[in-house]
Amino acid sequence: MSKAKITAIGTYAPSRRLTNADLEKIVDTSDEWIVQRTGMKERRIADEHQFTSDLCIEAVKDLKSRYEGTLDDVDMILVATTTSDYAFPSTACRVQDYFGWENTGALDINATCAGLTYGLHLANGLITSGLHRKILVIAGETLSKVTDYTDRTTCVLFGDAAGALLVERDEEIPGFLAFVQGTSGNGGDILYRAGLRNELNGVQLAGSGKMVQNGREVYKWAARTIPREFERLLQQAGLTSGELDWFVPHSANLRMIESICEKTPFPIEKTLTSVEYYGNTSSVSIVLALDLAVKAGKLKKDQTVMLFGFGGGLTYTGLLIKWGM
Ligand code: ACO
């Protein structure tokens, strides 16, 4: 069976910053409340004419400039997003059109904040099965366009960004060691953005196209589920937490990550996050955290890393990987 590994990374965030001080002028909130409850100081916001595909293209350009090989033989583009430019065509097709690669598949993945880890899991499956050789897994979000800036309970949380990872066939070292997944569709109504249908699980949906969440319930679900699945994932790979170099949970909220770590034997100092200066960027948060660590010289080739995406659905995918570059 073929093996797959991550061989390149690129990220992009819009230049406009939305600080806690800016939010104090928009809703009844304070820097102290936001920092204490979430660990966030600022987020990046796309301008009016910038959409998710524009951010994804910039992230791929960044990857391209840092990668020694060619991307002309990419044979699949997977884009994780919940804020696609159009209902269709997909954002992946917009990225393909920009770069002009013709012999490639292109599709979007809708798994909210778990989109990046779902995308990597699918890329690993497509490569190890022998069907594909080189897959771009991109995450891109313009959450500011679907955030209700009159709702202080959500508008302080979200930001915009994009990130890309290249997954390639490798005949020597397996880059993907183990995975866990789970879904609780019965919790769909605690975090949603309505589409064509305005009822879900017997609940009348609100929000007029903006994101709606019951933050407290989402927090409780994540703090209960992720520590349990952290242990299951280690068992799956036959590893102990001491053999893990880094834990990269979805950067939804620093306090939530602390609460997850308190329930595992893993020290918070060995988590990689992006929440402080980017806010919650949904599917992008993990790739931003990885890139910050690469640039800081913390994340190194062959280190063992746990990625854990979780979010609306409710759904999650955790992956144990060997960092490949
Ligand atoms: N500023 C000041 N006060 C606020 C704000 C704000 N921005 N937002 C809420 N409050 C108030 C509430 O009105 C409430 O006041 P009350 O006691 O007078 O009624 C009080 O703060 C406490 O509200 P809670 O919602 O209980 O606050 P909590 O401690 O749970 O923190 C938060 C809220 C930060 C949203 C938290 O629940 C959370 O982070 N949940 C997880 C959210 C999340 O991560 N969602 C995404 C996950 S998946 C994905 O990324 C799509």
Side-chain angles (χ1 to χ4, degrees):
M1 198 163 87
S2 301
K3 300 178 182 82
K5 71 172 185 183
I6 296 171
T7 57
I9 187 168
T11 53
Y12 174 77
S15 55
R16 199 174 130 209
R17 291 175 154 83
L18 182 69
T19 65
N20 293 351
D22 296 328
L23 284 162
E24 285 175 355
K25 294 181 198 133
I26 301 173
V27 285
D28 180 14
T29 190
S30 67
D31 175 57
E32 189 191 357
W33 191 96
I34 300 170
V35 171
Q36 197 243 321
R37 304 284 179 128
T38 71
M40 295 171 192
K41 292 183 177 154
E42 59 182 49
R43 330 82 202 110
R44 302 296 184 90
I45 304 294
D47 74 33
E48 200 188 335
H49 306 292
Q50 246 181 341
F51 291 88
T52 295
S53 69
D54 303 314
L55 273 53
C56 291
I57 287 165
E58 292 304 320
V60 175
K61 282 192 206 166
D62 182 45
L63 180 149
K64 213 171 165 205
S65 70
R66 298 160 63 182
Y67 175 60
E68 286 176 0
T70 177
L71 295 183
D72 291 343
D73 53 354
V74 160
D75 55 13
M76 179 64 80
I77 303 166
L78 300 173
V79 174
T81 185
T82 53
T83 46
S84 198
D85 300 20
Y86 309 99
F88 63 87
S90 69
T91 301
C93 287
R94 301 317 305 146
V95 173
Q96 178 282 329
D97 185 44
Y98 180 88
F99 289 98
W101 304 311
E102 286 189 357
N103 299 316
T104 181
L107 79 148
D108 287 2
I109 299 166
N110 180 346
T112 60
C113 312
L116 191 269
T117 47
Y118 265 95
L120 290 173
H121 177 66
L122 293 176
N124 177 43
L126 289 171
I127 290 175
T128 55
S129 66
L131 293 175
H132 286 257
R133 297 192 74 94
K134 198 181 261 193
I135 300 182
L136 260 179
V137 179
I138 308 167
E141 302 287 359
T142 44
L143 294 167
S144 64
K145 296 187 193 297
V146 296
T147 296
D148 176 357
Y149 285 97
T150 65
D151 174 11
R152 69 175 181 173
T153 69
T154 55
C155 76
V156 301
L157 301 174
F158 298 104
D160 303 335
L165 291 166
L166 188 64
V167 185
E168 288 188 69
R169 192 181 289 185
D170 182 275
E171 300 309 336
E172 287 159 24
I173 300 163
F176 292 79
L177 308 178
F179 75 97
V180 286
Q181 280 180 326
T183 300
S184 305
N186 61 357
D189 54 288
I190 64 172
L191 180 55
Y192 63 83
R193 182 158 75 87
L196 297 178
R197 195 168 176 171
N198 59 10
E199 173 274 335
L200 172 63
N201 294 344
V203 173
Q204 204 62 32
L205 301 186
S208 316
K210 304 288 187 193
M211 262 184 301
V212 177
Q213 75 165 347
N214 181 335
R216 172 72 38 118
E217 288 306 313
V218 174
Y219 190 106
K220 279 177 7 198
W221 168 75
R224 186 174 64 239
T225 308
I226 310 309
R228 185 191 70 216
E229 295 301 281
F230 176 101
E231 293 292 347
R232 191 161 75 93
L233 181 49
L234 283 175
Q235 276 170 21
Q236 211 94 291
L239 294 178
T240 63
S241 62
E243 292 170 283
L244 197 58
D245 291 295
W246 300 107
F247 175 40
V248 197
H250 165 43
S251 274
N253 175 331
L254 201 59
R255 196 166 58 113
M256 190 154 90
I257 292 171
E258 284 163 3
S259 153
I260 289 170
C261 284
E262 274 166 22
K263 295 185 182 133
T264 69
F266 200 69
I268 182 89
E269 298 73 36
K270 288 172 84 180
T271 58
L272 302 176
T273 68
S274 56
V275 68
E276 196 175 3
Y277 291 103
Y278 295 96
N280 178 344
T281 53
S282 189
S283 60
V284 192
S285 82
I286 289 175
V287 60
L288 283 180
L290 290 169
D291 205 17
L292 288 171
V294 167
K295 287 173 176 162
K298 285 160 63 171
L299 179 55
K300 300 192 179 80
K301 194 170 191 295
D302 294 331
Q303 285 186 326
T304 306
V305 185
M306 185 188 288
L307 312 179
F308 223 112
F310 53 89
L314 305 163
T315 192
Y316 58 87
T317 291
L319 301 174
L320 264 172
I321 63 165
K322 281 270 176 209
W323 188 245
M325 68 189 88

